[in-house]
Amino acid sequence: MRSVITRIQSKHLLKRFVPSISLSSHTLSTSTETRPQKLDRISNELLSLNPVELHDYSILFRMKMGLKNAGLASLSSGAGPSGSAQPSAEAEKKEKTLFDVKLEKFDAGSKLKVIKVVRSFTELGLKEAKDLVEKTPAFVKKGVTKEEGEAIIEKLKALGATVVLE
């Protein structure tokens, strides 16, 4: 029973993704067709597809096999080793614009002041800020500009904390 349902669903999916395949009643009545005849018919239909339809069919086939992301990585990776070498060179040339502020350590006597300062620029509650400060080294703010990060570092260093901009 499951094979009949799968064939019916396949028929509708193939019509949606690959409209040029002729899906007549012979796909549902395969009991009269022998296995080699069926495979020969399928291979002839696949060979008659244009490249776009063949690509759509390959995506549909991967989805039906449970390989949802199998072909997508190869499409986005670029063309060969020359394509992959250029983005790494460009990434090195680009200047970093967003930084993370990392609290490495602080004086035990200024713990409350450090918690207050962390709360002022992170919008955390008292308990969350306290937990963050207690688990140093920890990132207290991520994705900040260099100027904003340096201002935070100055505030924390004035309290005796060791802070790094990464």
Side-chain angles (χ1 to χ4, degrees), residues 24-114:
S24 60
S25 62
H26 68 274
T27 58
L28 294 178
S29 62
T30 57
S31 61
T32 61
E33 197 174 37
T34 64
R35 204 168 250 184
Q37 290 172 339
K38 181 178 177 181
L39 293 175
D40 187 43
R41 179 186 48 80
I42 292 171
S43 65
N44 287 337
E45 288 179 1
L46 287 174
L47 289 173
S48 69
L49 297 177
N50 66 36
V52 173
E53 293 169 337
L54 194 58
H55 175 73
D56 290 343
Y57 174 76
S58 67
I59 291 172
L60 175 67
F61 187 73
R62 286 186 197 114
M63 286 176 20
K64 290 186 90 36
M65 294 297 292
L67 305 171
K68 295 185 189 222
N69 296 329
L72 301 178
S74 64
L75 294 175
S76 63
S77 65
S82 63
S84 63
Q86 291 175 347
S88 64
E90 291 175 6
E92 290 176 11
K93 291 179 184 178
K94 290 183 180 178
E95 218 175 286
K96 191 172 181 180
T97 57
L98 296 177
F99 298 89
D100 300 332
V101 180
K102 184 177 183 180
L103 176 65
E104 292 187 337
K105 59 183 178 179
F106 59 91
D107 293 332
S110 63
K111 180 178 176 180
L112 291 174
K113 293 178 184 176
V114 171

Side-chain angles (χ1 to χ4, degrees), residues 116-123 140-141 148 152 155-156:
K116 286 181 182 181
V117 171
V118 168
R119 282 189 66 202
S120 69
F121 62 82
T122 59
E123 300 176 5
V140 292
K141 184 107 178 185
E148 184 181 357
I152 293 169
K155 289 178 184 179
L156 290 170

